[in-house]
C-alpha cells in the first residue's frame, strides 16, 4: 500500500500533511499531530475522510486486547469505519468506475485475493488480510489510501450524511452479517423469538435487522441500561427487558409475560461479555442458534451438556464482506435504517475514547473533521 506512484487526476488540492490521531504506545492517549499525507498506488484511491466511527474495538486496540493475536507495528492510525470522498484515483483504476468527488464508504476487510475465503467474497476472514485502522493509515486522520476494490459508492441523492454512513461499515455491518447467518440457518420467521443481547452501537442496528430480515420473528432486546432499552424500543424491538441485577429465572419470567414463551429461538450477542453469553445460552431453546458478533469479553463459559443435548448451533460472525456492506448501504439509501450517532470533533478523540470505555455513549460516536 501507498507506493510512491501517485497519479493526481483532479482538482482537489491534497495538502502535503494531514491531521492524524496516532497510537504511539499501548494504554496511552492518542497523539494528535501533523503527519505526511499518504500517497496512493496505481490500484488505490485516496479518500478524504469526512467521518470516522469510533468503535469499541479501537478502545480495545489501545488497551492491548489484540496484542496476543496480532502484533501491530506502531505508531498506527486507528479508525476502520470510514466515509468520505474520493480525491485521487490511481492510474490503474481509472476505468473502474471510481471518480473524484464520489461519496464512498470503505469496506474494512482487505483480503490477499488468492485464497478460498477471498474467492468466496469473504475477504474479511482472509488469513493474510489487512484492515484500515490497524496499521499506518486509518480513519482517525484526514486522508486514507484504500484499494479501489474496497470502496462502495453511495448515492448522493439519498441524503445520507458522512456521520450516518461511517458506522454502517462496522457497527451497522457486523450485526447484519450475523442476522443473515441466523436467517440462512432457518432460525428466524413467524413464531420465533430472537434475542438481541446488548444494545451498544451494534445492538441498535441488530434490532432493526432482526425486524427487516426476521420474516415476522418477535424481537426482544436485552440490556442493563434503561436508556439503551428505550432506544431499542424506538428502533422497533417488540420488547425490551432490563437484565440488570436479575436472575435467569426473573428474565425468563418477564420473557414469558412479553412473548408467551420463556426461551429464545435465536440470539445475536452484540456485547460479548461473559455473563451476557451465559444469559443468552441460558435462555436458548431446543435447536436454538446463537451468533456472537460482540467482543467485549475474551472467554465464553457455557455449560456443555445443553449445547449437545439441545443441539445448539453457535456461530462466529466477523465484520462483513463487500456484498454485505452493499446491501446495508442499499437499505440505508432506501431510508430503512435509522442511525444513532453523535458527532465528535477531532480534537476530542481521547475524551471520547474514555467515554466509550465506560460504555456511557448511547449509539455510535463519529469523528468529524
Ligand atoms: Zn485471501
Amino acid at each position: 500500500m501507498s507506493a510512491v506512484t501517485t497519479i493526481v487526476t483532479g482538482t482537489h488540492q491534497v495538502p502535503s500533511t494531514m491531521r492524524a490521531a496516532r497510537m504511539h504506545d499501548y494504554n496511552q492517549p492518542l497523539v494528535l499531530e501533523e503527519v505526511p499525507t499518504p500517497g496512493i498506488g496505481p490500484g488505490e484511491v485516496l479518500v478524504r475522510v469526512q467521518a470516522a466511527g469510533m468503535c469499541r474495538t479501537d478502545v480495545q486496540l489501545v488497551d492491548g486486547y489484540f496484542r496476543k493475536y496480532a502484533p501491530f507495528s506502531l505508531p498506527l492510525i486507528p479508525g476502520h469505519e470510514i466515509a468520505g470522498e474520493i480525491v485521487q484515483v490511481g492510474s490503474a483504476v481509472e476505468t473502474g468506475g471510481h471518480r473524484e468527488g464520489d461519496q464512498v464508504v470503505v469496506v474494512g476487510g482487505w483480503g490477499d485475493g488468492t485464497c478460498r475465503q477471498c474467492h468466496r467474497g469473504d475477504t474479511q476472514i482472509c488469513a493474510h488480510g489487512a484492515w484500515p485502522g490497524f496499521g499506518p493509515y486509518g480513519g482517525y486522520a484526514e486522508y486514507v489510501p484504500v484499494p479501489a476494490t474496497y470502496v462502495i459508492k453511495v448515492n448522493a441523492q439519498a441524503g445520507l450524511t458522512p456521520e450516518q454512513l461511517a458506522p454502517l461499515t462496522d457497527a451497522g455491518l457486523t450485526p447484519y452479517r450475523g442476522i443473515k447467518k441466523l436467517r440462512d440457518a432457518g432460525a428466524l420467521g413467524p413464531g420465533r423469538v430472537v434475542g438481541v443481547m446488548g444494545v451498544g452501537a451494534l445492538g441498535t442496528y441488530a434490532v432493526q435487522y432482526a425486524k427487516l430480515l426476521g420474516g415476522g420473528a418477535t424481537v426482544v432486546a436485552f440490556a442493563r441500561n434503561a436508556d439503551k432499552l428505550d432506544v431499542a424500543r424506538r428502533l422497533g424491538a417488540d420488547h425490551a427487558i432490563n437484565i440488570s441485577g436479575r436472575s435467569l429465572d426473573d428474565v425468563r419470567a418477564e420473557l414469558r409475560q412479553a412473548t408467551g414463551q420463556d426461551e429464545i429461538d435465536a440470539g445475536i450477542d452484540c456485547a460479548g461479555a461473559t455473563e451476557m453469553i451465559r444469559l443468552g445460552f441460558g435462555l436458548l431453546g431446543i435447536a436454538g442458534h446463537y451468533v456472537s458478533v460482540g467482543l467485549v469479553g475474551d472467554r465464553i463459559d457455557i455449560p456443555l451438556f445443553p449445547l449437545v443435548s439441545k443441539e445448539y448451533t453457535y456461530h462466529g460472525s466477523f465484520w462483513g464482506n463487500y456484498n454485505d456492506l452493499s446491501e446495508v448501504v442499499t437499505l440505508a439509501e432506501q431510508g430503512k435504517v435509522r442511525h444513532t450517532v453523535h458527532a465528535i470533533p477531532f480534537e476530542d478523540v481521547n475524551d471520547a475514547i474514555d467515554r466509550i470505555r465506560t460504555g456511557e455513549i448511547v449509539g455510535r460516536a463519529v469523528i468529524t473533521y
Side-chain angles (χ1 to χ4, degrees), residues 110-119 122-123 125-129:
W110 304 345
D112 64 4
T114 69
C115 71
R116 182 186 302 156
Q117 312 309 338
C118 285
H119 282 281
D122 289 329
T123 58
I125 51 171
C126 174
H128 305 106

Side-chain angles (χ1 to χ4, degrees), residues 35-50:
V35 300
T37 304
I40 54 170
E44 296 180 327
V45 297
L46 188 67
V47 173
R48 180 173 72 84
V49 181
Q50 294 170 316

Side-chain angles (χ1 to χ4, degrees), residues 3 22 49 61 79 96-97 121-122 128 137 145 184 205 230 240 347 369:
R22 295 206 298 176
V49 181
L61 176 65
D122 289 329
H128 305 106
Y137 300 111
D184 295 349
Y205 295 97
D230 283 343
E347 296 71 24
Y369 295 89

Side-chain angles (χ1 to χ4, degrees), residues 50 81 108 117 122 129 131 134 172 183 262 265 317:
Q50 294 170 316
E81 291 189 344
Q117 312 309 338
D122 289 329
W131 311 271
F134 296 90
R183 180 197 65 186
D262 63 2
D265 300 290
S317 187

